[in-house]
Amino acid sequence: MAAEGGGKEMNEIKTQFTTREGVYKLLTHSEYSRPNRVPFNSQGSNPVKVSFVNVNDQSGNGDRICFNVGRELYFYIYKGVRKAADLSKPIDKRIYKGTQPTCHDFNPLTATAESVSLLVGFSAGQVQLIDPIKKETSKLFNEERLIDKSGVTCVRWVPGSESLFLVAHSSGSLYLYNVEHTCGTTPPHYQLLKQGDGYAVHTCKSKSARNPLLRWTVGEGALNEFAFSPDGKFLACASQDGFLRVFGFDAAELHGTMKSYFGGLLCVCWSPDGRYIVAGGEDDLVTVWSFSDCRVIARGHGHKSWVSVVAFDHCTTSVEDSDPPAEFSGSDEEFHEQIHFAGGRDRANSSQSHLSKRNSTDGRPVSVTYRFGSVGQDTQLCLWDLTEDILFPHLPLSRTRTHTNVMSATSPPATGSATNTTTTTTTTTTINPPGTNGNNTVSSSSGNSGALSNSVPAPLPRSNSLPHSTGPAGGSTTPNSHMSSKGSSIIDSAFIATGVSKFATLSLHDTRKERHEKDHKRNHSMGHISSKSSDKLNQLSSAARTAKADAAKTLGTLLCPRMEEVPLLEPLVCKKIAHERLTVLIFLEDCLVTACQEGFICTWARPGKVGLLPSQNPTNSPSGTVV
């Protein structure tokens, strides 16, 4: 259940929590922070972020962690659940003057025990390429701020590439760089390459190769975060105008859009199989969007303030292997008869049921659950299960369902994520018309069966064979591949509004009583000062007027369904775990990692994973950087 008890208990910091797979425990000896362990005075500073990389060290302890606190950047050996953190010996420590690190990302392709490539973005707009093992600074991009003067909000290596990386700024622009090229001594001149609703892509005009290779202008206001799909072919962008935009990266084509219920979107992530996207933001909701249906399929309500990070748990998520999609020859009645016998079973047997071996009429596996998590400025960690009754509401599943509010009799029969379900890999699109094939080309892998919450929880097998990507090569792009895409049409017919300001205030179908009960802790919201610059505050009145008009156009459409039009999930777990706003959530093999604005990076051991020796628990590479 979401909240338990009240009064003092609500304000206690939790050090453990229980899910159906067991108890997650905070490992106090594995806490990372500044060496003096003094809480950082976070007023006015950028959010603490964490990046991981595995350097394939022969000693078996190849995990490395990087985090920023204020003006400082630290690089340590990460010992996880095995050994206590030794903060007295950082591999590298840097203190910056005049600017602060805002985000960072390791390149997993080039990482070795002797060298790693780490990109660091800064509040003044520069991007630095450093090697914290060799303690070298190799290059500084946008040094003179001729490309963009606004702060860097997100930086990522292009999947499968050793030299290309993408940088987002609070100006709303996104730039593609090549580490081999210089940035030039004059401001770049751009030529329009492609344009569509809410975005434009320009190429840099230059006689010689220079950065940036491309400039994307996305939405209105800051581009707060972007994320590559697991195969590297698509790019999801969360913007301050409240829109999620998903692009085909190589062709720079708009695949689909979604609008927040109100306010800006702050974070975005992909399911391990690339079939779903979850976004969070200033509406305090987590929103689940189907990639192939291009529509919202569920919202999650549990946070009391802005959602700062969303992430899928690839270790707890699982899907049963399904037969190759075969068309069902017969009537709908016969099809429902065939699958109805599987109904009525308890959730503990869901993964093993015949239903999980059956495909629906559009060739998708039917038995699915996905686990994802979110942290917010309300200092709370929420865990969510996205189950098959949400994903496939047209199938007659008579199973025990909990943790879902169906807000209207006209809602889809999907009644949401259950406590007693096994988490499984994201299976895509939900309601396609019968007989249509979803473009689901990613096969799913090994499923897990979970125990009911009132029985002894059995440890879940780890589904490590998930199709995290079909190969990173899909994301390996060259400038030429972008140039060849000029002129193709990418207008999405469902795209109605071009931008909604963060100042929109909608009191639509949220009950007023519910709104008053929610304690919006805006004092935790200092981390987004960059998106509240004085320029924007001066434009408040005009922005609010246009926002209300545009929001009214999108509400009730596929872009932004009304609250009663989609299932409303409730969290499996909702716990206060910090004193300051939370800024990091990363799921690793043995643990999950959180961080708060005070500069404390916490490790939560998964059930049965406390204090395992390396020989008992071989380390696997963390799955990249999750901010």
Side-chain angles (χ1 to χ4, degrees), residues 350-371:
S350 64
S351 299
Q352 309 301 333
S353 69
H354 291 20
L355 191 58
S356 64
K357 297 298 183 184
R358 238 170 237 294
N359 293 323
S360 62
T361 49
D362 50 5
R364 292 187 299 258
V366 183
S367 182
V368 230
T369 312
Y370 297 90
R371 167 71 56 82

Side-chain angles (χ1 to χ4, degrees), residues 291-454:
F291 174 78
S292 49
D293 278 349
C294 292
R295 67 181 187 87
V296 175
I297 61 167
R299 290 189 178 104
H301 178 233
H303 286 285
K304 297 176 182 175
S305 188
W306 297 354
V307 180
S308 45
V309 185
V310 287
F312 273 87
D313 183 354
H314 61 281
C315 295
T316 311
T317 294
S318 56
V319 162
E320 278 294 308
D321 280 331
S322 59
D323 300 327
E327 290 197 14
F328 176 77
S329 53
S331 67
D332 285 347
E333 288 80 5
E334 291 172 311
F335 172 71
H336 289 310
E337 278 177 17
Q338 288 199 23
I339 63 171
H340 189 65
F341 73 90
R345 304 183 182 202
D346 63 30
R347 188 64 77 168
N349 298 323
S350 64
S351 299
Q352 309 301 333
S353 69
H354 291 20
L355 191 58
S356 64
K357 297 298 183 184
R358 238 170 237 294
N359 293 323
S360 62
T361 49
D362 50 5
R364 292 187 299 258
V366 183
S367 182
V368 230
T369 312
Y370 297 90
R371 167 71 56 82
F372 64 93
S374 57
V375 294
Q377 302 196 4
D378 57 0
T379 71
Q380 292 191 126
L381 163 70
C382 292
L383 296 181
W384 314 80
D385 270 358
L386 182 63
T387 51
E388 63 189 74
D389 37 11
I390 293 294
L391 303 175
F392 308 113
H394 57 301
L395 295 179
L397 303 179
S398 52
R399 296 190 172 180
T400 310
R401 295 185 175 96
T402 57
H403 287 304
T404 300
N405 294 335
V406 179
M407 300 180 63
S408 159
T410 60
S411 298
T415 48
S417 77
T419 346
N420 307 331
T421 75
T422 64
T423 25
T424 66
T425 306
T426 29
T427 310
T428 78
T429 61
T430 51
I431 313 176
N432 275 355
T436 352
N437 283 330
N439 22 339
N440 308 327
T441 54
V442 185
S443 61
S444 315
S445 61
S446 59
N448 306 322
S449 100
L452 287 170
S453 58
N454 58 0

Side-chain angles (χ1 to χ4, degrees), residues 353-599:
S353 69
H354 291 20
L355 191 58
S356 64
K357 297 298 183 184
R358 238 170 237 294
N359 293 323
S360 62
T361 49
D362 50 5
R364 292 187 299 258
V366 183
S367 182
V368 230
T369 312
Y370 297 90
R371 167 71 56 82
F372 64 93
S374 57
V375 294
Q377 302 196 4
D378 57 0
T379 71
Q380 292 191 126
L381 163 70
C382 292
L383 296 181
W384 314 80
D385 270 358
L386 182 63
T387 51
E388 63 189 74
D389 37 11
I390 293 294
L391 303 175
F392 308 113
H394 57 301
L395 295 179
L397 303 179
S398 52
R399 296 190 172 180
T400 310
R401 295 185 175 96
T402 57
H403 287 304
T404 300
N405 294 335
V406 179
M407 300 180 63
S408 159
T410 60
S411 298
T415 48
S417 77
T419 346
N420 307 331
T421 75
T422 64
T423 25
T424 66
T425 306
T426 29
T427 310
T428 78
T429 61
T430 51
I431 313 176
N432 275 355
T436 352
N437 283 330
N439 22 339
N440 308 327
T441 54
V442 185
S443 61
S444 315
S445 61
S446 59
N448 306 322
S449 100
L452 287 170
S453 58
N454 58 0
S455 63
V456 179
L460 289 177
R462 303 295 171 220
S463 176
N464 297 327
S465 55
L466 287 174
H468 290 156
S469 65
T470 51
S476 169
T477 61
T478 59
N480 293 334
S481 69
H482 295 272
M483 308 307 173
S484 64
S485 62
K486 184 174 181 178
S488 44
S489 171
I490 45 86
I491 295 182
D492 188 335
S493 59
F495 193 41
I496 298 173
T498 55
V500 176
S501 162
K502 63 181 287 186
F503 303 109
T505 54
L506 304 179
S507 58
L508 301 156
H509 281 268
D510 262 343
T511 57
R512 292 181 180 274
K513 181 181 175 186
E514 201 174 330
R515 276 289 155 202
H516 287 302
E517 284 176 354
K518 292 178 72 175
D519 176 22
H520 284 263
K521 300 187 179 179
R522 298 307 184 192
N523 58 316
H524 290 297
S525 305
M526 295 299 293
H528 297 277
I529 286 177
S530 61
S531 64
K532 297 180 180 177
S533 62
S534 57
D535 292 343
K536 291 192 176 181
L537 292 175
N538 292 336
Q539 299 167 7
L540 172 64
S541 56
S542 61
R545 284 194 296 272
T546 57
K548 287 178 181 177
D550 290 340
K553 294 178 187 176
T554 60
L555 189 74
T557 68
L558 282 178
L559 285 177
C560 181
R562 296 180 186 276
M563 290 299 285
E564 70 270 20
E565 291 174 344
V566 293
L568 188 64
L569 308 178
E570 290 187 8
L572 299 172
V573 169
C574 188
K575 300 292 184 185
K576 178 181 174 70
I577 61 168
H579 290 289
E580 281 290 330
R581 64 189 184 276
L582 293 163
T583 57
V584 171
L585 174 62
I586 304 174
F587 290 97
L588 301 180
E589 190 72 22
D590 298 329
C591 58
L592 61 93
V593 176
T594 61
C596 70
Q597 195 53 26
E598 286 185 317

Side-chain angles (χ1 to χ4, degrees), residues 78-91:
Y78 180 69
K79 298 178 181 178
V81 301
R82 297 180 302 276
K83 294 181 181 178
D86 183 2
L87 299 184
S88 64
K89 298 176 181 176
I91 299 174

